[in-house]
């Protein structure tokens, strides 16, 4: 029977951790179709997160001091896992009850398997789905296809949201950066490079986007921006076309973050460095004349 290791880094997650734990521990097929190993790593929480873990009788690792992001916890989990596959889940995400059993058959053929995911935008109150469609239960990608799409920041490709992944344990040696402690773009490139990948064509992960989410944190956006630019230099000579496209799209992502945050001066500064198309021009124009309609009707960022 195969074993699946689930790595869960936590920090001040008392409001969300119980539903996250429940969604993992109540997965269909545990001890019947697969064994489950849960590795929780707490990053020096100062709220009731640890109390909730103890109440659930869950042993957990602890960092010696707060690391500023989930990556150190993820690496501790990777170094201690014993499963045939590993999954990652953030402390405010929730899995569908059949997430693991629907990924396992596909993971036997592909070293990196994702699923679709649903985003609930607490700003607009709407739910959006990121999901590929196929007549089969999964969509397959050829060797390096996902890597090259991810390298050039192409959104119309495999969804590599962290909590949706199931990865072969042979890739556990690829660790996350700990300098900033929160950037994962480089890691996603390294796990997909030279690999075939697949996505289960169902929405099996649920994500809530709100002001406290790391992805909407200004410090995170700055670190993600500069570390991504730094890491991309490794591919400048080998994949120059994809590298050039990626630089422009990273600037576009940074611009949309500032647009959503109502920092329009910064938004325009980064839009100018991004791809020039009708959508970007529309963002720039509405940054002057009013962005409320755009934010209400469209997914700007996320």
């Amino acid at each position: 029977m195969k074993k699946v290791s689930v790595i869960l880094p936590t920090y001040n997650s008392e409001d969300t951790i119980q539903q996250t734990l429940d969604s993992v521990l109540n997965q269909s097929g545990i001890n019947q179709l697969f064994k489950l190993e849960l590795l929780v790593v707490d990053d020096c929480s100062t709220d009731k997160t640890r109390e909730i873990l103890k109440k659930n009788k869950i042993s957990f690792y602890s960092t010696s001091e707060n690391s500023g992001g989930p990556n150190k916890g993820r690496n501790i989990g990777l170094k201690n896992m014993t499963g045939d596959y590993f999954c990652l889940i953030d402390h405010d995400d929730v899995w569908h009850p059949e997430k693991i059993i629907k990924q396992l058959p596909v993971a036997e053929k592909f070293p990196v398997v994702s699923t679709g995911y649903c985003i609930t935008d607490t700003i607009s109150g709407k739910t959006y789905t990121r999901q590929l469609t196929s007549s089969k239960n999964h969509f397959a990608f050829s060797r390096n296809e996902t890597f090259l799409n991810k390298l050039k920041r192409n959104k119309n490709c495999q969804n590599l949201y962290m909590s949706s992944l199931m990865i072969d344990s042979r890739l556990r040696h690829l660790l996350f950066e700990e300098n900033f402690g929160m950037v994962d773009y480089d890691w996603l490139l390294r796990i997909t490079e030279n690999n075939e990948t697949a996505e289960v064509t169902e929405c099996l992960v649920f994500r809530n986007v709100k002001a406290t989410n790391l992805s909407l944190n200004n410090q995170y956006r700055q670190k993600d921006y500069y570390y991504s630019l730094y890491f991309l230099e490794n591919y400048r000579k080998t994949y120059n076309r994809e590298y050039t496209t990626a630089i422009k799209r990273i600037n576009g992502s940074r611009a949309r973050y500032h647009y959503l945050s109502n920092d329009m001066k910064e938004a325009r500064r980064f839009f100018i460095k991004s791809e020039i198309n009708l959508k970007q021009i529309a963002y720039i124009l509405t940054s002057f004349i009013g962005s409320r309609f755009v934010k209400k009707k469209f997914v700007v960022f996320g």
Side-chain angles (χ1 to χ4, degrees), residues 118-256:
C118 300
I119 306 169
T120 298
D121 186 341
T122 58
I123 295 174
S124 66
K126 294 185 177 181
T127 297
Y128 306 90
T129 300
R130 307 290 196 201
Q131 177 183 333
L132 297 176
T133 57
S134 172
S135 58
K136 299 181 179 180
N137 69 330
H138 69 275
F139 196 101
F141 296 87
S142 60
R143 180 178 175 270
N144 261 352
E145 184 177 357
T146 291
F147 163 72
L148 290 173
N149 275 314
K150 188 65 181 177
L151 178 60
K152 61 185 179 183
R153 311 283 282 215
N154 184 6
K155 287 188 175 182
N156 299 316
C157 61
Q158 184 174 6
N159 296 297
L160 294 180
Y161 181 54
M162 200 60 58
S163 294
S164 78
L165 298 175
M166 178 177 286
I167 301 171
D168 193 288
S169 63
R170 287 173 291 183
L171 297 177
R172 60 180 289 187
H173 67 284
L174 299 174
L175 301 178
F176 290 83
E177 66 82 24
E178 293 186 17
N179 184 43
F180 292 131
M182 58 182 68
V183 182
D184 54 39
Y185 176 54
D186 63 306
W187 184 80
L188 291 171
L189 289 174
R190 287 183 283 121
I191 66 164
T192 55
E193 187 172 13
N194 296 319
N195 282 323
E196 296 178 340
T197 64
E199 178 169 324
V200 175
T201 54
E202 292 186 54
C203 178
L204 300 177
V205 178
F206 305 92
R207 174 191 184 196
N208 289 315
V209 178
K210 51 187 176 181
T212 55
N213 279 85
L214 183 59
S215 60
L216 294 178
N217 178 278
N218 185 57
Q219 187 180 51
Y220 168 75
R221 296 312 328 166
Q222 291 179 9
K223 292 178 178 179
D224 179 67
Y225 177 79
Y226 289 111
Y227 187 77
S228 295
L229 294 179
Y230 166 77
F231 185 78
L232 275 174
E233 283 295 318
N234 294 300
Y235 301 107
R236 181 170 58 84
K237 293 182 179 180
T238 308
Y239 302 102
N240 185 259
R241 181 182 299 177
E242 290 81 2
Y243 165 84
T244 302
T245 300
I247 297 297
K248 293 179 180 179
R249 289 177 175 171
I250 287 172
N251 279 288
S253 178
R254 180 79 183 272
R256 289 190 300 276

Side-chain angles (χ1 to χ4, degrees), residues 57-71:
K57 297 181 180 180
I58 294 174
S59 59
F60 55 90
Y61 298 91
S62 298
T63 56
S64 58
E65 60 182 7
N66 181 262
S67 65
N71 285 359

Side-chain angles (χ1 to χ4, degrees), residues 267-284:
R268 289 189 288 270
R269 182 165 75 91
F270 288 102
F271 274 132
I272 291 171
K273 299 178 182 180
S274 68
E275 294 177 298
I276 301 301
N277 53 44
L278 290 176
K279 182 181 288 187
Q280 305 295 55
I281 293 172
Y283 276 130
I284 294 172

Side-chain angles (χ1 to χ4, degrees), residues 50-113:
R50 294 187 179 209
E51 292 179 29
I52 294 171
L53 292 172
K54 292 175 181 177
K55 184 178 179 180
N56 284 269
K57 297 181 180 180
I58 294 174
S59 59
F60 55 90
Y61 298 91
S62 298
T63 56
S64 58
E65 60 182 7
N66 181 262
S67 65
N71 285 359
K72 187 173 183 63
R74 290 167 175 168
N75 286 343
I76 291 173
L78 287 171
K79 292 173 183 177
N80 287 279
M81 59 162 282
T82 61
D84 300 286
Y85 308 99
F86 66 89
C87 298
L88 301 151
I89 185 168
D90 290 339
H91 63 200
D92 52 2
D93 287 343
V94 172
W95 282 351
H96 185 283
E98 296 184 344
K99 191 258 186 190
I100 289 180
I101 61 171
K102 289 189 174 183
Q103 281 186 294
L104 271 175
V106 184
E108 292 178 358
K109 302 175 183 178
F110 299 90
V112 179
V113 180

